Amino acid sequence: MKAYDGNASVSSACTPGFSADGYTALVSPNIMEGQKLLKVKFNGCSSGAQGIWYETNNPDFKVGADGAVYTAREVQIPAKQAKFIVAAWDHETPEKWEAAIQLFVEETPLNQSQYQTGSQSQESEQEQSQSGTLLPWRQHHKGLRRQKRDWVIPPVNVPENSRGPFPQQLVLIRSDKDRDDTIRYSITGVGADQPPMAIFNIDPIFGRMNVTRPLDREERSSYHLRAHAVDINGNKVENPIDLSIYVIDMNDNRPEFSSPIFNGSVDEASKPGTYVMTVTAHDADDINTSNGIVMYRIMDQSPQSPSHDMFVIHSKTGVINTVAAGLDREKVQQYTVVIQATDMEGNLNHGLSNTATAIITVADVNDNPPEFTRKMFIGEVPENHVDVVVANLTVVDRDQPYTSNWNAVFKIISGDPDGHFTIKTDPVTNEGIVTVSKPVDYEMSKVFPLIVMVTNQAPLASGIQMSLQSTAAVTVSVNDVNEAPYFPNRNEPIRKLEGESAGRLLITFSAVDPDHSMQQVLRYSKISDPANWLAINTTNGQVSTTAVLDRESPFVKDDLYQAKFLATDNGNPPASGTGTLLIQLIDINDNAPELLPKDAQICERPNGNGINITAIDVDRKPSADPFVFELPSVPYTIRRNWTIHRINSIYARLSLQIGYLESGMYDVPVIVTDSGNPPLYNTSIIKVKVCPCDNNGDCTTIGAVAAAGLGTGAIISILICIIILLSMVLLFVMWMKRREKERHTKQLLIDPEDDVRDNILKYDEEGGGEEDQDYDLSQLQQPETLDHVLNKVAGVRRVDERPVGAEHQYPIRPVIPHPGDIGDFITEGLRAADNDPTAPPYDSLLVFDYEGSGSTAGSVSSLNSSSSEDQDFDYLNDWGPRFKKLADMYGGADED
């Protein structure tokens, strides 16, 4: 037994350690998972078997708390024996003890009936024991022997991260047929001929399978290969054998936290055991072994207030809880906790560790009530003012600012029954701003003693009581100012009869000065009096009439007349107030009724259709309708020719009394009387047009005209006048057309020497002649050379061409035509043609530039020139006014 010295002393009375230096057990080659192999015994002296930790250096085996050794997984032992170490720790001392475990494989006795002889079996077993060779393929001998199944190679365990040397032999594969034939061995599968390739190889002749490099369990935990045996010709001599290679995990990976920093929060004043947060770490090693089992612990806490152990972490789950009371955000707002994660089940001596930081924020709760900084606040306000800041109430609150636990809410609990004041919270400073919401009156109350209480938006935490500093007194003083006088509220108008004469006293319209403590004098004046009917005494406010009141005036609306007055005191500064006086005018019968319409027409013979008339009266009942309608007795023809019947209280019908009345205009007087007391009447004249009517009872047109006072002679005269007027219009139109025609036939070309008027003449022309056109008159000249004629083929000649010969030299003219009279141009051309001996005297068709078909100019071949005989240009006079100028120039040559 080995022991490592530690710091702790060992008692001489008791020596801790295993009961033996080594333990042995006899096992079968194939051991099932969880099978108990043996039990070790360890004496811990101080705590006995309790508090002892066991572990093995072989992950295929594990040791229970009672010292029993079990298989951690299914194990196949290829050799005769297996060895591993069991270590033990005592939790009270840092010492370590070890014991060796040796497992021997049971040997199965050979049966004489098997198909191998004893000497052969013994030789084979001896060879296998010495070289570690497995013979998976057995040769089956002829004879009456039982055939045995092919051997199964147990899994091969290879530790990861092995340091070699490489290649390292894992297993030897041999076939018993290689005694007779040459055998070639090969392996296939992932790690051999499939990616990742060449991790394993096999000697094709001797069958030694090797691993070529270190393995990593975290990259791949197992490999499954297949071994093949063929002869030299590639023929299969044995069935393929499966090979399983397991990579044994080593503790080569540290735990890794999911985040380097974890953030959590917990309410202040939380009870012990309150959940805070969870941290997690992962180990890439095998989680079924101690290499991958991670344990957590708290290494450090900052600050260590009020205790250095404010939090605890569950070693397996990573859950952090509070373990002590006293969390106070106002003292410590945040804790920084360093967490360590260690594998090997938290064994600090053998395990690998890693750390992370947990930031725990202490969340605020409303455990601090707001408090006023003073018990008494003082403010003042002028009377009759609103939205005035009276005082600022300052408070303190130790909770987190700008949260519902910190925001203050103010309430007036006494001293303001009428609600004159309100308190708003300043969102930045958390102060209470006292303002005036309703005007205050100095004469009513000079001081307001207010009691104000402050709370938070959020309720106080459980168990927290309000502070005595949460209430304060606010004294508000009211300052007296000069208030404007006012007229007592007069909702009811005064009633007066219309027709009141001027100078009558109506009412004393006086104002009241609210400043009772000030001895002030009021003065009155008039602001609005639409009809100018009233006057007010400047000292006592007596209102009297200056004109007759009339209810029918346009300034009276719904019998009410409105006037406004001003009352001004002599304060400093002076103040004034307005008042409105309403006067309801009572109607009297002072207006006679009127009749409508004033004009009407009726047929000369009675046909049942009379004239409907309506009576109107600006007065109201009972001074208006019902009305009485009647005809006057003088002259007597009125009642003889006409009659009137009342339809209702305001309507009547006027109709003919006799069977026929000559057409014409008649003035019919009608007397209408109202119902006033005394009644008033009026005689209205209705102009009635009597006319002949058609079958429908409507006046005819002639009849209407005749009825209007026009006789037959007058009608005929009117018609004659209309005809004469139409004739004059027709003659005027004809004269205008004739004048227009003469203007168009007037001479268009006038000699400039005869025309002394500076006028612009309009011609019906579409062009302006050569001077305003871009014509090149040089094209009318002879060509400069005759190359195009001289170079012609003989015998080809046009009859309209001039003979070839000496030409007359024409005078050279400028390219741009002279802007003079076109007559000079023609004269010069004529003179040149007369003097040209090569001028064509023949009558032939002359070819010019093609100007289009359908020309109305005709042929110009008949034109000729001669200087020996006279030419007659008188025919130009027959060509119209456009050639008048040419006719005057050439037609009168004999007379010139």
Side-chain angles (χ1 to χ4, degrees):
M1 182 182 68
K2 294 181 179 180
Y4 294 88
D5 294 336
N7 295 328
S9 61
V10 179
S11 173
S12 60
C14 176
T15 302
F18 286 96
S19 60
D21 294 335
Y23 298 87
T24 60
L26 189 63
V27 298
S28 63
N30 298 326
I31 308 174
M32 302 301 294
E33 179 182 358
Q35 181 176 347
K36 182 177 180 182
L37 304 179
L38 54 90
K39 185 176 182 181
V40 297
K41 184 177 181 182
F42 182 83
N43 183 12
C45 293
S46 60
S47 57
Q50 296 181 356
I52 303 300
W53 292 350
Y54 296 97
E55 69 172 6
T56 67
N57 63 348
N58 191 333
D60 292 337
F61 304 92
K62 61 181 180 180
V63 182
D66 58 347
V69 179
Y70 299 87
T71 54
R73 58 174 66 89
E74 183 178 356
V75 178
Q76 294 180 347
I77 303 177
K80 288 292 184 178
Q81 62 181 0
K83 295 182 180 180
F84 57 93
I85 302 299
V86 173
W89 287 272
D90 187 349
H91 71 283
E92 294 183 358
T93 64
E95 296 181 357
K96 176 182 177 182
W97 295 266
E98 294 181 349
I101 306 296
Q102 187 173 11
L103 301 178
F104 295 94
V105 179
E106 293 178 329
E107 294 184 1
T108 304
L110 288 174
N111 195 306
Q112 297 296 328
S113 64
Q114 291 180 344
Y115 49 78
Q116 283 188 337
T117 62
S119 60
Q120 291 177 336
S121 176
Q122 184 177 2
E123 180 182 357
S124 176
E125 295 296 336
Q126 184 178 1
E127 180 182 359
Q128 179 177 349
S129 176
Q130 294 175 356
S131 61
T133 301
L134 296 179
L135 300 177
W137 295 295
R138 294 276 182 170
Q139 177 66 40
H140 305 311
H141 296 275
K142 296 180 180 179
L144 299 176
R145 296 175 181 173
R146 181 172 58 86
Q147 185 177 1
K148 187 177 182 181
R149 295 179 301 172
D150 294 339
W151 285 9
V152 176
I153 299 178
V156 178
N157 297 323
V158 180
E160 66 172 335
N161 303 325
S162 174
R163 297 182 179 180
F166 295 102
Q168 179 180 0
Q169 179 176 335
L170 298 180
V171 67
L172 179 64
I173 301 175
R174 295 290 302 273
S175 173
D176 54 5
K177 293 182 180 181
D178 61 357
R179 295 183 178 88
D180 300 329
D181 298 324
T182 301
I183 305 299
R184 294 293 182 266
Y185 302 97
S186 64
I187 56 175
T188 59
V190 176
D193 61 345
Q194 298 179 20
M197 301 174 63
I199 295 178
F200 303 97
N201 60 23
I202 189 171
D203 188 330
I205 297 176
F206 299 103
R208 297 187 184 92
M209 192 180 76
N210 305 311
V211 58
T212 62
R213 64 189 184 192
L215 302 181
D216 187 357
R217 192 204 67 86
E218 287 71 39
E219 181 178 330
R220 190 176 184 89
S221 61
S222 64
Y223 297 87
H224 299 280
L225 306 178
R226 175 163 288 192
H228 305 270
V230 297
D231 59 14
I232 194 170
N233 296 321
N235 299 319
K236 181 176 70 174
V237 298
E238 298 284 359
N239 292 326
I241 297 176
D242 293 330
L243 299 175
S244 296
I245 301 172
Y246 293 100
V247 182
I248 301 174
D249 183 46
M250 305 297 289
N251 189 19
D252 58 343
N253 291 278
R254 293 180 180 275
E256 296 292 337
F257 283 93
S258 58
S259 174
I261 297 177
F262 294 87
N263 292 286
S265 65
V266 62
D267 290 340
E268 62 176 331
S270 294
K271 296 180 179 180
T274 302
Y275 171 80
V276 179
M277 61 191 301
T278 300
V279 297
T280 56
H282 173 72
D283 196 315
D285 292 325
D286 190 359
I287 60 174
N288 296 317
T289 66
S290 300
N291 299 333
I293 299 177
V294 179
M295 295 293 183
Y296 303 93
R297 73 187 187 96
I298 295 178
M299 295 182 62
D300 182 56
Q301 169 194 308
S302 175
Q304 297 182 357
S305 173
S307 170
H308 64 279
D309 292 327
M310 294 298 297
F311 305 96
V312 66
I313 187 170
H314 193 281
S315 61
K316 294 183 179 181
T317 62
V319 175
I320 299 177
N321 299 89
T322 59
V323 71
L327 290 174
D328 190 351
R329 191 204 67 85
E330 287 72 37
K331 295 180 179 179
V332 179
Q333 300 182 1
Q334 182 175 280
Y335 288 90
T336 301
V337 178
V338 178
I339 308 297
Q340 184 185 53
T342 306
D343 58 13
M344 296 298 292
E345 299 184 79
N347 190 322
L348 299 178
N349 293 326
H350 300 278
L352 301 178
S353 300
N354 210 340
T355 60
T357 302
I359 306 298
I360 302 175
T361 301
V362 181
D364 183 48
V365 298
N366 194 13
D367 57 346
N368 294 281
E371 297 179 349
F372 286 102
T373 59
R374 292 185 294 170
K375 293 297 294 181
M376 174 71 71
F377 295 89
I378 299 175
E380 60 181 19
V381 59
E383 63 175 333
N384 301 325
H385 286 69
V386 295
D387 297 331
V388 177
V389 177
V390 177
N392 290 344
L393 311 181
T394 55
V395 296
V396 293
D397 194 321
R398 292 189 299 275
D399 290 321
Q400 187 172 359
Y402 308 108
T403 63
S404 58
N405 298 331
W406 179 79
N407 295 333
V409 178
F410 299 88
K411 181 180 179 181
I412 300 175
I413 58 178
S414 66
D416 186 23
D418 297 328
H420 290 283
F421 302 95
T422 58
I423 304 179
K424 299 179 181 179
T425 303
D426 189 314
V428 177
T429 63
N430 212 28
E431 295 179 353
I433 304 174
V434 183
T435 58
V436 181
S437 58
K438 291 173 58 177
V440 294
D441 190 356
Y442 175 83
E443 285 71 28
M444 299 294 296
S445 180
K446 297 179 177 60
V447 176
F448 287 88
L450 307 178
I451 302 298
V452 180
M453 180 177 67
V454 59
T455 58
N456 290 124
Q457 290 179 349
L460 290 174
S462 177
I464 304 300
Q465 301 295 327
M466 289 293 297
S467 172
L468 296 178
Q469 297 293 327
S470 297
T471 58
V474 181
T475 302
V476 181
S477 301
V478 182
N479 299 330
D480 189 19
V481 298
N482 185 23
E483 300 178 74
Y486 66 93
F487 290 88
N489 190 13
R490 293 183 179 271
N491 294 325
E492 294 295 329
I494 61 174
R495 295 170 56 88
K496 296 294 180 181
L497 290 173
E498 66 171 331
E500 288 280 358
S501 59
R504 297 289 299 273
L505 177 63
L506 297 181
I507 190 175
T508 299
F509 197 57
S510 59
V512 177
D513 190 352
D515 297 317
H516 304 299
S517 59
M518 302 180 183
Q519 301 297 325
Q520 299 182 136
V521 179
L522 301 181
R523 291 292 182 265
Y524 300 92
S525 60
K526 184 170 62 174
I527 297 178
S528 173
D529 182 14
N532 201 20
W533 288 343
L534 307 175
I536 187 170
N537 190 293
T538 59
T539 57
N540 56 21
Q542 291 181 350
V543 179
S544 57
T545 60
T546 58
V548 178
L549 304 182
D550 185 6
R551 191 195 66 85
E552 290 75 31
S553 170
F555 301 106
V556 178
K557 307 297 181 183
D558 298 330
D559 297 344
L560 291 177
Y561 181 75
Q562 179 176 297
K564 292 184 179 180
F565 299 95
L566 179 70
T568 306
D569 61 20
N570 59 347
N572 186 18
S576 60
T578 60
T580 301
L581 177 63
L582 296 177
I583 303 175
Q584 183 177 7
L585 297 177
I586 302 173
D587 185 38
I588 62 175
N589 191 17
D590 57 347
N591 295 280
E594 295 287 339
L595 291 179
L596 293 176
K598 300 295 183 181
D599 299 314
Q601 65 180 14
I602 194 172
C603 296
E604 58 186 4
R605 298 181 184 277
N607 58 0
N609 295 331
I611 300 172
N612 293 329
I613 58 177
T614 304
I616 57 174
D617 195 335
V618 296
D619 292 326
R620 292 190 174 185
K621 285 185 178 184
S623 300
D625 62 293
F627 300 104
V628 176
F629 303 89
E630 57 183 346
L631 298 174
S633 57
V634 178
Y636 73 95
T637 57
I638 298 300
R639 291 193 176 185
R640 183 193 67 182
N641 297 337
W642 306 91
T643 181
I644 190 169
H645 300 283
R646 193 174 77 168
I647 299 176
N648 54 26
S649 61
I650 60 175
Y651 294 104
R653 177 173 296 169
L654 178 66
S655 57
L656 288 176
Q657 180 73 13
I658 59 179
Y660 172 78
L661 183 62
E662 183 181 359
S663 299
M665 294 296 297
Y666 295 87
D667 292 337
V668 181
V670 178
I671 302 173
V672 58
T673 307
D674 61 20
S675 299
N677 185 19
L680 298 178
Y681 68 92
N682 183 27
T683 301
S684 299
I685 303 299
I686 301 176
K687 292 184 178 296
V688 181
K689 182 191 300 182
V690 180
C691 59
C693 298
D694 55 15
N695 296 332
N696 295 326
D698 299 327
C699 286
T700 60
T701 304
I702 298 177
V705 174
L710 298 178
T712 304
I715 295 175
I716 293 174
S717 300
I718 293 174
L719 293 177
I720 291 173
C721 291
I722 295 174
I723 293 173
I724 293 173
L725 180 61
L726 293 177
S727 299
M728 293 177 64
V729 172
L730 181 60
L731 290 174
F732 178 75
V733 173
M734 294 176 62
W735 178 77
M736 290 296 294
K737 288 186 176 182
R738 183 179 182 85
R739 181 179 177 86
E740 184 68 19
K741 185 175 182 182
E742 291 177 355
R743 189 175 66 83
H744 283 294
T745 57
K746 189 177 178 181
Q747 177 182 353
L748 299 178
L749 294 175
I750 303 176
D751 191 353
E753 298 177 358
D754 298 333
D755 187 7
V756 296
R757 297 170 298 172
D758 188 9
N759 296 328
I760 297 177
L761 300 181
K762 177 181 180 298
Y763 301 97
D764 294 332
E765 295 178 344
E766 296 180 359
E770 293 81 5
E771 295 183 3
D772 61 350
Q773 300 292 337
D774 191 13
Y775 291 149
D776 187 5
L777 297 181
S778 64
Q779 299 299 325
L780 299 177
Q781 301 176 4
Q782 298 297 329
E784 299 294 337
T785 63
L786 297 175
D787 294 341
H788 67 288
V789 178
L790 296 175
N791 295 332
K792 280 192 173 183
V793 181
V796 181
R797 183 178 182 274
R798 291 173 52 176
V799 298
D800 56 344
E801 291 181 349
R802 65 184 180 181
V804 178
E807 290 186 357
H808 177 73
Q809 297 297 324
Y810 288 90
I812 298 177
R813 294 188 296 270
V815 177
I816 302 176
H818 193 273
D821 198 310
I822 194 172
D824 298 337
F825 173 77
I826 296 177
T827 301
E828 181 183 354
L830 180 61
R831 185 182 302 110
D834 291 341
N835 299 327
D836 186 5
T838 62
Y842 46 84
D843 188 7
S844 62
L845 177 63
L846 301 179
V847 179
F848 299 91
D849 288 342
Y850 179 72
E851 295 181 356
S853 61
S855 174
T856 59
S859 176
V860 295
S861 61
S862 59
L863 295 178
N864 55 30
S865 60
S866 177
S867 60
S868 60
E869 58 183 21
D870 296 334
Q871 298 187 31
D872 186 9
F873 294 100
D874 291 338
Y875 61 85
L876 294 176
N877 293 319
D878 300 332
W879 287 9
R882 295 182 180 272
F883 295 89
K884 185 70 168 56
K885 184 68 175 177
L886 293 176
D888 292 342
M889 294 173 60
Y890 300 102
D894 294 339
E895 293 147 346
D896 292 341

